[in-house]
mmCIF file of all heavy atoms in Angstrom:
data_model
loop_
_atom_site.group_PDB
_atom_site.id
_atom_site.type_symbol
_atom_site.label_atom_id
_atom_site.label_comp_id
_atom_site.label_asym_id
_atom_site.label_seq_id
_atom_site.Cartn_x
_atom_site.Cartn_y
_atom_site.Cartn_z
ATOM 1 N N ASP A 21 76.485 132.597 101.086
ATOM 2 C CA ASP A 21 76.531 131.178 101.467
ATOM 3 C C ASP A 21 77.005 131.004 102.886
ATOM 4 O O ASP A 21 78.107 130.577 103.028
ATOM 5 C CB ASP A 21 77.410 130.478 100.479
ATOM 6 C CG ASP A 21 77.167 128.847 100.509
ATOM 7 O OD1 ASP A 21 76.486 128.511 101.461
ATOM 8 O OD2 ASP A 21 77.906 128.244 99.762
ATOM 9 N N GLN A 24 78.920 128.218 104.915
ATOM 10 C CA GLN A 24 80.392 128.077 104.857
ATOM 11 C C GLN A 24 81.002 128.310 106.241
ATOM 12 O O GLN A 24 82.205 127.880 106.498
ATOM 13 C CB GLN A 24 81.041 128.954 103.757
ATOM 14 C CG GLN A 24 80.659 128.421 102.428
ATOM 15 C CD GLN A 24 81.466 129.213 101.408
ATOM 16 O OE1 GLN A 24 82.327 128.705 100.742
ATOM 17 N NE2 GLN A 24 81.095 130.429 101.158
ATOM 18 N N VAL A 27 82.275 125.282 107.819
ATOM 19 C CA VAL A 27 83.651 124.841 107.559
ATOM 20 C C VAL A 27 84.618 125.529 108.323
ATOM 21 O O VAL A 27 85.565 124.940 108.864
ATOM 22 C CB VAL A 27 83.911 125.032 105.917
ATOM 23 C CG1 VAL A 27 85.356 124.637 105.676
ATOM 24 C CG2 VAL A 27 82.854 124.420 105.140
ATOM 25 N N ASP A 41 97.344 120.092 121.404
ATOM 26 C CA ASP A 41 98.040 118.818 121.438
ATOM 27 C C ASP A 41 99.572 119.005 121.344
ATOM 28 O O ASP A 41 100.342 118.303 122.036
ATOM 29 C CB ASP A 41 97.493 117.952 120.348
ATOM 30 C CG ASP A 41 98.025 116.465 120.406
ATOM 31 O OD1 ASP A 41 97.537 115.854 121.280
ATOM 32 O OD2 ASP A 41 98.860 116.147 119.627
ATOM 33 N N THR A 46 107.289 117.336 123.811
ATOM 34 C CA THR A 46 108.523 117.947 124.244
ATOM 35 C C THR A 46 109.543 117.700 123.110
ATOM 36 O O THR A 46 109.720 116.525 122.699
ATOM 37 C CB THR A 46 109.008 117.239 125.552
ATOM 38 O OG1 THR A 46 108.931 115.885 125.433
ATOM 39 C CG2 THR A 46 108.205 117.784 126.659
ATOM 40 N N ASP A 53 117.727 118.213 115.916
ATOM 41 C CA ASP A 53 116.387 118.085 115.389
ATOM 42 C C ASP A 53 115.618 119.455 115.644
ATOM 43 O O ASP A 53 114.742 119.509 116.500
ATOM 44 C CB ASP A 53 115.664 116.979 116.128
ATOM 45 C CG ASP A 53 114.159 116.713 115.520
ATOM 46 O OD1 ASP A 53 113.968 117.249 114.449
ATOM 47 O OD2 ASP A 53 113.423 116.160 116.218
ATOM 48 N N VAL A 55 113.642 121.075 114.188
ATOM 49 C CA VAL A 55 112.164 121.169 113.820
ATOM 50 C C VAL A 55 111.371 120.622 114.948
ATOM 51 O O VAL A 55 110.349 121.114 115.317
ATOM 52 C CB VAL A 55 111.947 120.366 112.547
ATOM 53 C CG1 VAL A 55 110.465 120.100 112.294
ATOM 54 C CG2 VAL A 55 112.556 121.015 111.350
ATOM 55 N N PRO A 57 109.185 117.672 117.137
ATOM 56 C CA PRO A 57 107.749 117.139 116.772
ATOM 57 C C PRO A 57 106.798 118.218 116.872
ATOM 58 O O PRO A 57 105.675 117.984 116.313
ATOM 59 C CB PRO A 57 107.498 116.144 118.040
ATOM 60 C CG PRO A 57 108.375 116.685 119.112
ATOM 61 C CD PRO A 57 109.572 117.324 118.450
ATOM 62 N N SER A 83 81.642 135.163 98.462
ATOM 63 C CA SER A 83 82.176 134.021 97.828
ATOM 64 C C SER A 83 81.306 132.797 98.003
ATOM 65 O O SER A 83 81.055 132.552 99.214
ATOM 66 C CB SER A 83 83.575 133.801 98.280
ATOM 67 O OG SER A 83 84.071 132.544 97.770
ATOM 68 N N ALA A 85 80.403 128.608 97.615
ATOM 69 C CA ALA A 85 81.134 127.346 97.260
ATOM 70 C C ALA A 85 80.421 126.820 95.882
ATOM 71 O O ALA A 85 79.351 127.150 95.654
ATOM 72 C CB ALA A 85 80.822 126.310 98.365
ATOM 73 N N GLU A 86 81.285 126.045 95.268
ATOM 74 C CA GLU A 86 80.718 125.444 94.044
ATOM 75 C C GLU A 86 80.542 123.959 94.304
ATOM 76 O O GLU A 86 81.386 123.144 94.199
ATOM 77 C CB GLU A 86 81.834 125.632 92.936
ATOM 78 C CG GLU A 86 81.287 125.299 91.590
ATOM 79 C CD GLU A 86 82.440 125.472 90.637
ATOM 80 O OE1 GLU A 86 83.350 126.454 90.861
ATOM 81 O OE2 GLU A 86 82.418 124.804 89.530
ATOM 82 N N GLU A 88 80.076 120.010 94.258
ATOM 83 C CA GLU A 88 80.497 119.137 93.183
ATOM 84 C C GLU A 88 79.316 118.542 92.469
ATOM 85 O O GLU A 88 78.339 118.159 92.984
ATOM 86 C CB GLU A 88 81.200 118.036 93.788
ATOM 87 C CG GLU A 88 82.227 117.315 92.872
ATOM 88 C CD GLU A 88 82.900 116.164 93.551
ATOM 89 O OE1 GLU A 88 82.342 115.077 93.664
ATOM 90 O OE2 GLU A 88 84.013 116.406 94.081
ATOM 91 N N GLU A 91 76.986 112.591 87.670
ATOM 92 C CA GLU A 91 76.023 112.024 86.879
ATOM 93 C C GLU A 91 74.591 112.079 87.551
ATOM 94 O O GLU A 91 73.575 112.332 86.945
ATOM 95 C CB GLU A 91 76.286 110.675 86.505
ATOM 96 C CG GLU A 91 77.375 110.470 85.403
ATOM 97 C CD GLU A 91 78.713 110.002 86.112
ATOM 98 O OE1 GLU A 91 78.942 110.332 87.254
ATOM 99 O OE2 GLU A 91 79.415 109.358 85.507
ATOM 100 N N ASP A 92 74.699 111.709 88.813
ATOM 101 C CA ASP A 92 73.361 111.483 89.519
ATOM 102 C C ASP A 92 73.045 112.564 90.398
ATOM 103 O O ASP A 92 72.241 112.587 91.290
ATOM 104 C CB ASP A 92 73.527 110.139 90.314
ATOM 105 C CG ASP A 92 73.328 108.921 89.426
ATOM 106 O OD1 ASP A 92 72.870 109.182 88.305
ATOM 107 O OD2 ASP A 92 73.769 107.856 89.759
ATOM 108 N N VAL A 93 73.890 113.611 90.332
ATOM 109 C CA VAL A 93 73.754 114.741 91.378
ATOM 110 C C VAL A 93 72.969 115.952 90.698
ATOM 111 O O VAL A 93 73.404 116.440 89.688
ATOM 112 C CB VAL A 93 75.139 115.213 91.841
ATOM 113 C CG1 VAL A 93 74.926 116.496 92.789
ATOM 114 C CG2 VAL A 93 75.828 114.164 92.580
ATOM 115 N N ASP A 94 71.861 116.217 91.230
ATOM 116 C CA ASP A 94 71.150 117.406 90.740
ATOM 117 C C ASP A 94 71.282 118.611 91.725
ATOM 118 O O ASP A 94 70.632 118.629 92.779
ATOM 119 C CB ASP A 94 69.695 117.039 90.707
ATOM 120 C CG ASP A 94 68.837 118.082 90.039
ATOM 121 O OD1 ASP A 94 69.449 119.180 89.678
ATOM 122 O OD2 ASP A 94 67.648 117.843 89.936
ATOM 123 N N ALA A 97 68.508 121.053 92.808
ATOM 124 C CA ALA A 97 67.373 120.693 93.784
ATOM 125 C C ALA A 97 67.878 120.921 95.214
ATOM 126 O O ALA A 97 69.067 120.852 95.498
ATOM 127 C CB ALA A 97 67.059 119.190 93.572
ATOM 128 N N ASP A 100 68.552 116.822 100.361
ATOM 129 C CA ASP A 100 67.569 115.931 100.893
ATOM 130 C C ASP A 100 68.313 115.385 102.153
ATOM 131 O O ASP A 100 68.834 114.265 102.123
ATOM 132 C CB ASP A 100 67.224 114.756 100.027
ATOM 133 C CG ASP A 100 66.354 113.845 100.650
ATOM 134 O OD1 ASP A 100 65.892 113.967 101.791
ATOM 135 O OD2 ASP A 100 66.025 112.834 100.003
ATOM 136 N N ASP A 119 80.101 93.604 115.353
ATOM 137 C CA ASP A 119 80.855 92.512 116.070
ATOM 138 C C ASP A 119 79.919 91.533 116.611
ATOM 139 O O ASP A 119 80.210 90.415 116.891
ATOM 140 C CB ASP A 119 81.831 93.088 117.050
ATOM 141 C CG ASP A 119 83.075 93.700 116.361
ATOM 142 O OD1 ASP A 119 83.360 93.241 115.266
ATOM 143 O OD2 ASP A 119 83.590 94.595 116.918
ATOM 144 N N ASN A 146 65.256 93.647 98.592
ATOM 145 C CA ASN A 146 66.525 94.283 98.967
ATOM 146 C C ASN A 146 67.405 93.568 100.026
ATOM 147 O O ASN A 146 68.557 93.386 99.858
ATOM 148 C CB ASN A 146 66.272 95.772 99.481
ATOM 149 C CG ASN A 146 65.575 96.616 98.494
ATOM 150 O OD1 ASN A 146 65.568 96.253 97.303
ATOM 151 N ND2 ASN A 146 65.017 97.750 98.969
ATOM 152 N N GLY A 164 89.125 82.903 99.836
ATOM 153 C CA GLY A 164 90.015 83.557 98.865
ATOM 154 C C GLY A 164 91.248 84.369 99.426
ATOM 155 O O GLY A 164 92.311 84.231 99.051
ATOM 156 N N LEU A 165 90.925 85.177 100.406
ATOM 157 C CA LEU A 165 91.908 86.056 100.981
ATOM 158 C C LEU A 165 92.416 85.654 102.371
ATOM 159 O O LEU A 165 93.384 86.238 102.881
ATOM 160 C CB LEU A 165 91.430 87.482 101.018
ATOM 161 C CG LEU A 165 90.961 88.065 99.808
ATOM 162 C CD1 LEU A 165 90.335 89.461 99.985
ATOM 163 C CD2 LEU A 165 92.074 88.207 98.810
ATOM 164 N N PRO A 168 89.197 86.380 108.035
ATOM 165 C CA PRO A 168 87.971 85.880 108.669
ATOM 166 C C PRO A 168 87.169 87.141 109.062
ATOM 167 O O PRO A 168 87.423 87.742 110.098
ATOM 168 C CB PRO A 168 88.417 85.048 109.872
ATOM 169 C CG PRO A 168 89.828 85.607 110.239
ATOM 170 C CD PRO A 168 90.424 86.205 108.967
ATOM 171 N N SER A 170 83.985 88.991 110.810
ATOM 172 C CA SER A 170 83.313 88.554 112.043
ATOM 173 C C SER A 170 82.063 87.725 111.788
ATOM 174 O O SER A 170 81.270 88.080 110.882
ATOM 175 C CB SER A 170 82.909 89.826 112.796
ATOM 176 O OG SER A 170 81.819 89.609 113.549
ATOM 177 N N ASN B 54 96.931 89.120 100.189
ATOM 178 C CA ASN B 54 96.838 87.735 99.822
ATOM 179 C C ASN B 54 97.368 87.412 98.402
ATOM 180 O O ASN B 54 97.682 86.345 97.996
ATOM 181 C CB ASN B 54 95.482 87.234 99.963
ATOM 182 C CG ASN B 54 95.450 85.744 100.360
ATOM 183 O OD1 ASN B 54 95.442 84.839 99.519
ATOM 184 N ND2 ASN B 54 95.649 85.380 101.524
ATOM 185 N N THR B 84 76.434 113.476 80.954
ATOM 186 C CA THR B 84 76.766 114.156 82.327
ATOM 187 C C THR B 84 78.152 113.436 82.860
ATOM 188 O O THR B 84 77.880 112.385 83.508
ATOM 189 C CB THR B 84 75.562 113.781 83.321
ATOM 190 O OG1 THR B 84 75.227 112.522 83.149
ATOM 191 C CG2 THR B 84 74.454 114.841 83.146
ATOM 192 N N GLY B 86 81.180 112.143 84.594
ATOM 193 C CA GLY B 86 81.443 111.881 86.061
ATOM 194 C C GLY B 86 82.673 112.486 86.451
ATOM 195 O O GLY B 86 82.885 113.119 87.600
ATOM 196 N N LYS B 99 76.589 115.256 71.409
ATOM 197 C CA LYS B 99 75.904 115.773 70.163
ATOM 198 C C LYS B 99 75.861 114.710 69.122
ATOM 199 O O LYS B 99 74.901 114.595 68.341
ATOM 200 C CB LYS B 99 76.687 117.026 69.727
ATOM 201 C CG LYS B 99 76.475 118.261 70.619
ATOM 202 C CD LYS B 99 75.166 119.003 70.472
ATOM 203 C CE LYS B 99 74.671 119.785 71.699
ATOM 204 N NZ LYS B 99 75.755 120.703 72.105
ATOM 205 N N ARG B 168 90.194 127.164 98.891
ATOM 206 C CA ARG B 168 89.574 125.873 99.255
ATOM 207 C C ARG B 168 90.540 124.714 98.996
ATOM 208 O O ARG B 168 90.487 123.783 99.687
ATOM 209 C CB ARG B 168 88.305 125.771 98.374
ATOM 210 C CG ARG B 168 87.305 126.752 98.816
ATOM 211 C CD ARG B 168 85.966 126.632 98.094
ATOM 212 N NE ARG B 168 84.938 127.520 98.729
ATOM 213 C CZ ARG B 168 84.767 128.771 98.255
ATOM 214 N NH1 ARG B 168 85.674 129.274 97.382
ATOM 215 N NH2 ARG B 168 83.930 129.604 98.867
ATOM 216 N N ASP B 185 105.111 110.219 116.782
ATOM 217 C CA ASP B 185 106.127 110.916 116.107
ATOM 218 C C ASP B 185 107.402 110.046 115.906
ATOM 219 O O ASP B 185 107.921 109.381 116.911
ATOM 220 C CB ASP B 185 106.528 112.188 116.864
ATOM 221 C CG ASP B 185 107.791 112.889 116.353
ATOM 222 O OD1 ASP B 185 107.778 113.079 115.151
ATOM 223 O OD2 ASP B 185 108.752 113.193 117.120
ATOM 224 N N GLN B 190 106.696 110.215 120.637
ATOM 225 C CA GLN B 190 105.607 110.684 121.323
ATOM 226 C C GLN B 190 104.296 110.633 120.470
ATOM 227 O O GLN B 190 104.343 110.857 119.233
ATOM 228 C CB GLN B 190 105.749 112.153 121.761
ATOM 229 C CG GLN B 190 106.994 112.502 122.605
ATOM 230 C CD GLN B 190 107.257 113.870 122.683
ATOM 231 O OE1 GLN B 190 106.652 114.603 123.567
ATOM 232 N NE2 GLN B 190 108.153 114.494 121.895
ATOM 233 N N ARG B 192 101.005 111.732 118.629
ATOM 234 C CA ARG B 192 100.491 113.100 118.330
ATOM 235 C C ARG B 192 99.120 113.024 117.787
ATOM 236 O O ARG B 192 98.802 112.186 116.928
ATOM 237 C CB ARG B 192 101.456 113.686 117.186
ATOM 238 C CG ARG B 192 102.714 114.198 117.685
ATOM 239 C CD ARG B 192 103.389 115.153 116.608
ATOM 240 N NE ARG B 192 103.599 114.412 115.409
ATOM 241 C CZ ARG B 192 104.424 114.921 114.388
ATOM 242 N NH1 ARG B 192 105.012 115.975 114.573
ATOM 243 N NH2 ARG B 192 104.483 114.216 113.341
ATOM 244 N N ALA B 193 98.203 113.863 118.297
ATOM 245 C CA ALA B 193 96.935 113.961 117.785
ATOM 246 C C ALA B 193 96.135 112.660 117.850
ATOM 247 O O ALA B 193 95.296 112.351 116.938
ATOM 248 C CB ALA B 193 96.805 114.617 116.392
ATOM 249 N N TRP B 221 76.789 112.300 99.486
ATOM 250 C CA TRP B 221 76.528 113.501 98.629
ATOM 251 C C TRP B 221 75.463 113.247 97.648
ATOM 252 O O TRP B 221 74.496 114.047 97.407
ATOM 253 C CB TRP B 221 77.760 113.913 98.024
ATOM 254 C CG TRP B 221 77.671 115.171 97.096
ATOM 255 C CD1 TRP B 221 78.192 115.238 95.851
ATOM 256 C CD2 TRP B 221 77.137 116.373 97.443
ATOM 257 N NE1 TRP B 221 77.917 116.339 95.310
ATOM 258 C CE2 TRP B 221 77.273 117.259 96.215
ATOM 259 C CE3 TRP B 221 76.523 117.017 98.572
ATOM 260 C CZ2 TRP B 221 76.815 118.573 96.167
ATOM 261 C CZ3 TRP B 221 76.077 118.279 98.449
ATOM 262 C CH2 TRP B 221 76.185 119.050 97.279
ATOM 263 N N ALA B 224 72.004 113.066 99.053
ATOM 264 C CA ALA B 224 71.437 114.450 99.372
ATOM 265 C C ALA B 224 70.883 115.010 98.107
ATOM 266 O O ALA B 224 69.971 115.946 98.206
ATOM 267 C CB ALA B 224 72.514 115.338 100.078
ATOM 268 N N HIS B 225 71.400 114.723 96.957
ATOM 269 C CA HIS B 225 70.886 115.326 95.721
ATOM 270 C C HIS B 225 70.645 114.428 94.592
ATOM 271 O O HIS B 225 70.774 114.735 93.465
ATOM 272 C CB HIS B 225 72.084 116.263 95.158
ATOM 273 C CG HIS B 225 72.239 117.481 96.088
ATOM 274 N ND1 HIS B 225 71.400 118.584 95.853
ATOM 275 C CD2 HIS B 225 73.059 117.796 97.033
ATOM 276 C CE1 HIS B 225 71.819 119.543 96.709
ATOM 277 N NE2 HIS B 225 72.744 119.093 97.421
ATOM 278 N N ARG B 227 69.083 112.692 91.667
ATOM 279 C CA ARG B 227 68.174 113.067 90.628
ATOM 280 C C ARG B 227 66.945 112.229 90.700
ATOM 281 O O ARG B 227 66.997 111.013 90.746
ATOM 282 C CB ARG B 227 68.811 112.860 89.269
ATOM 283 C CG ARG B 227 69.298 113.934 88.521
ATOM 284 C CD ARG B 227 69.950 113.484 87.254
ATOM 285 N NE ARG B 227 71.260 114.094 87.094
ATOM 286 C CZ ARG B 227 71.549 115.342 86.858
ATOM 287 N NH1 ARG B 227 70.509 116.225 86.604
ATOM 288 N NH2 ARG B 227 72.753 115.843 86.783
ATOM 289 N N ARG B 388 69.628 103.260 90.817
ATOM 290 C CA ARG B 388 70.425 104.059 91.706
ATOM 291 C C ARG B 388 70.347 103.608 93.056
ATOM 292 O O ARG B 388 71.406 103.491 93.708
ATOM 293 C CB ARG B 388 70.124 105.522 91.608
ATOM 294 C CG ARG B 388 70.313 106.082 90.151
ATOM 295 C CD ARG B 388 71.650 105.828 89.729
ATOM 296 N NE ARG B 388 72.001 106.476 88.445
ATOM 297 C CZ ARG B 388 72.196 105.711 87.311
ATOM 298 N NH1 ARG B 388 72.132 104.450 87.218
ATOM 299 N NH2 ARG B 388 72.433 106.396 86.220
ATOM 300 N N TYR B 390 70.254 100.616 94.282
ATOM 301 C CA TYR B 390 71.131 99.472 94.322
ATOM 302 C C TYR B 390 72.571 99.856 94.138
ATOM 303 O O TYR B 390 73.475 99.348 94.951
ATOM 304 C CB TYR B 390 70.807 98.378 93.321
ATOM 305 C CG TYR B 390 69.512 97.668 93.673
ATOM 306 C CD1 TYR B 390 68.656 97.139 92.778
ATOM 307 C CD2 TYR B 390 69.206 97.423 94.977
ATOM 308 C CE1 TYR B 390 67.477 96.423 92.960
ATOM 309 C CE2 TYR B 390 68.034 96.762 95.394
ATOM 310 C CZ TYR B 390 67.204 96.257 94.333
ATOM 311 O OH TYR B 390 66.103 95.574 94.729
ATOM 312 N N TYR B 392 74.120 102.681 94.911
ATOM 313 C CA TYR B 392 74.646 103.443 96.032
ATOM 314 C C TYR B 392 74.653 102.597 97.287
ATOM 315 O O TYR B 392 75.568 102.718 98.172
ATOM 316 C CB TYR B 392 74.126 104.840 96.142
ATOM 317 C CG TYR B 392 74.414 105.721 95.112
ATOM 318 C CD1 TYR B 392 73.539 105.978 93.946
ATOM 319 C CD2 TYR B 392 75.765 106.133 94.987
ATOM 320 C CE1 TYR B 392 74.042 106.749 92.879
ATOM 321 C CE2 TYR B 392 76.205 106.935 93.928
ATOM 322 C CZ TYR B 392 75.239 107.180 92.869
ATOM 323 O OH TYR B 392 75.778 107.876 91.757
ATOM 324 N N TYR B 404 86.404 97.584 106.860
ATOM 325 C CA TYR B 404 86.268 96.580 108.006
ATOM 326 C C TYR B 404 87.320 95.491 107.812
ATOM 327 O O TYR B 404 87.997 95.073 108.729
ATOM 328 C CB TYR B 404 85.003 96.027 108.048
ATOM 329 C CG TYR B 404 84.625 95.163 109.208
ATOM 330 C CD1 TYR B 404 84.798 95.701 110.550
ATOM 331 C CD2 TYR B 404 84.247 93.783 109.049
ATOM 332 C CE1 TYR B 404 84.644 94.822 111.586
ATOM 333 C CE2 TYR B 404 83.953 93.002 110.100
ATOM 334 C CZ TYR B 404 84.113 93.470 111.441
ATOM 335 O OH TYR B 404 83.888 92.667 112.526
ATOM 336 N N LEU B 408 89.890 94.528 110.833
ATOM 337 C CA LEU B 408 88.726 93.872 111.503
ATOM 338 C C LEU B 408 88.390 94.464 112.915
ATOM 339 O O LEU B 408 88.108 93.880 113.829
ATOM 340 C CB LEU B 408 88.889 92.369 111.836
ATOM 341 C CG LEU B 408 89.167 91.574 110.521
ATOM 342 C CD1 LEU B 408 89.516 90.120 110.905
ATOM 343 C CD2 LEU B 408 87.900 91.577 109.630
ATOM 344 N N ARG B 427 82.382 118.007 99.487
ATOM 345 C CA ARG B 427 81.612 118.136 98.201
ATOM 346 C C ARG B 427 80.626 119.214 98.225
ATOM 347 O O ARG B 427 80.338 119.921 97.276
ATOM 348 C CB ARG B 427 80.920 116.690 97.934
ATOM 349 C CG ARG B 427 81.912 115.748 97.320
ATOM 350 C CD ARG B 427 81.398 114.387 97.292
ATOM 351 N NE ARG B 427 82.258 113.540 96.658
ATOM 352 C CZ ARG B 427 83.314 112.875 97.323
ATOM 353 N NH1 ARG B 427 83.558 113.189 98.644
ATOM 354 N NH2 ARG B 427 84.120 112.101 96.716
ATOM 355 N N ARG B 428 80.056 119.389 99.450
ATOM 356 C CA ARG B 428 78.966 120.447 99.479
ATOM 357 C C ARG B 428 79.692 121.786 99.343
ATOM 358 O O ARG B 428 79.072 122.750 98.764
ATOM 359 C CB ARG B 428 78.262 120.331 100.892
ATOM 360 C CG ARG B 428 77.568 121.551 101.339
ATOM 361 C CD ARG B 428 76.369 122.033 100.485
ATOM 362 N NE ARG B 428 75.751 123.291 101.003
ATOM 363 C CZ ARG B 428 76.240 124.509 100.703
ATOM 364 N NH1 ARG B 428 77.433 124.639 99.976
ATOM 365 N NH2 ARG B 428 75.622 125.588 101.281
ATOM 366 N N PHE B 429 80.820 121.921 99.993
ATOM 367 C CA PHE B 429 81.447 123.282 100.032
ATOM 368 C C PHE B 429 82.600 123.502 98.900
ATOM 369 O O PHE B 429 83.374 124.316 99.102
ATOM 370 C CB PHE B 429 81.948 123.620 101.462
ATOM 371 C CG PHE B 429 80.915 123.743 102.434
ATOM 372 C CD1 PHE B 429 80.604 122.725 103.328
ATOM 373 C CD2 PHE B 429 80.055 124.764 102.431
ATOM 374 C CE1 PHE B 429 79.593 122.853 104.188
ATOM 375 C CE2 PHE B 429 79.029 124.934 103.252
ATOM 376 C CZ PHE B 429 78.717 123.903 104.216
ATOM 377 N N GLY B 430 82.523 122.529 97.924
ATOM 378 C CA GLY B 430 83.506 122.823 96.801
ATOM 379 C C GLY B 430 84.991 122.657 97.252
ATOM 380 O O GLY B 430 85.752 123.297 96.569
ATOM 381 N N ARG B 451 113.354 116.446 108.619
ATOM 382 C CA ARG B 451 113.958 116.301 109.885
ATOM 383 C C ARG B 451 115.253 115.352 109.769
ATOM 384 O O ARG B 451 116.277 115.586 110.456
ATOM 385 C CB ARG B 451 113.047 115.694 110.990
ATOM 386 C CG ARG B 451 112.123 116.888 111.397
ATOM 387 C CD ARG B 451 110.962 116.297 112.099
ATOM 388 N NE ARG B 451 111.294 115.908 113.459
ATOM 389 C CZ ARG B 451 110.346 115.397 114.297
ATOM 390 N NH1 ARG B 451 109.052 115.306 113.936
ATOM 391 N NH2 ARG B 451 110.695 115.039 115.469
ATOM 392 N N LEU B 454 118.079 117.506 108.282
ATOM 393 C CA LEU B 454 118.596 118.464 109.342
ATOM 394 C C LEU B 454 119.435 117.639 110.271
ATOM 395 O O LEU B 454 120.486 118.121 110.814
ATOM 396 C CB LEU B 454 117.451 119.108 110.119
ATOM 397 C CG LEU B 454 116.713 120.291 109.286
ATOM 398 C CD1 LEU B 454 115.553 120.648 110.002
ATOM 399 C CD2 LEU B 454 117.745 121.364 109.013
#
Side-chain angles (χ1 to χ4, degrees):
Chain A
D21 190 1
Q24 289 188 109
V27 179
D41 188 73
T46 49
D53 184 20
V55 170
S83 168
E86 193 180 332
E88 199 181 87
E91 287 106 329
D92 286 340
V93 175
D94 185 2
D100 178 5
D119 284 332
N146 299 344
L165 301 175
S170 148
Chain B
N54 211 269
T84 44
K99 292 275 156 57
R168 294 182 175 85
D185 174 47
Q190 301 171 84
R192 286 195 301 193
W221 174 234
H225 283 280
R227 254 178 233 287
R388 298 305 185 249
Y390 286 150
Y392 292 103
Y404 188 55
L408 299 178
R427 283 169 176 82
R428 159 62 181 86
F429 293 105
R451 286 166 71 183
L454 288 171

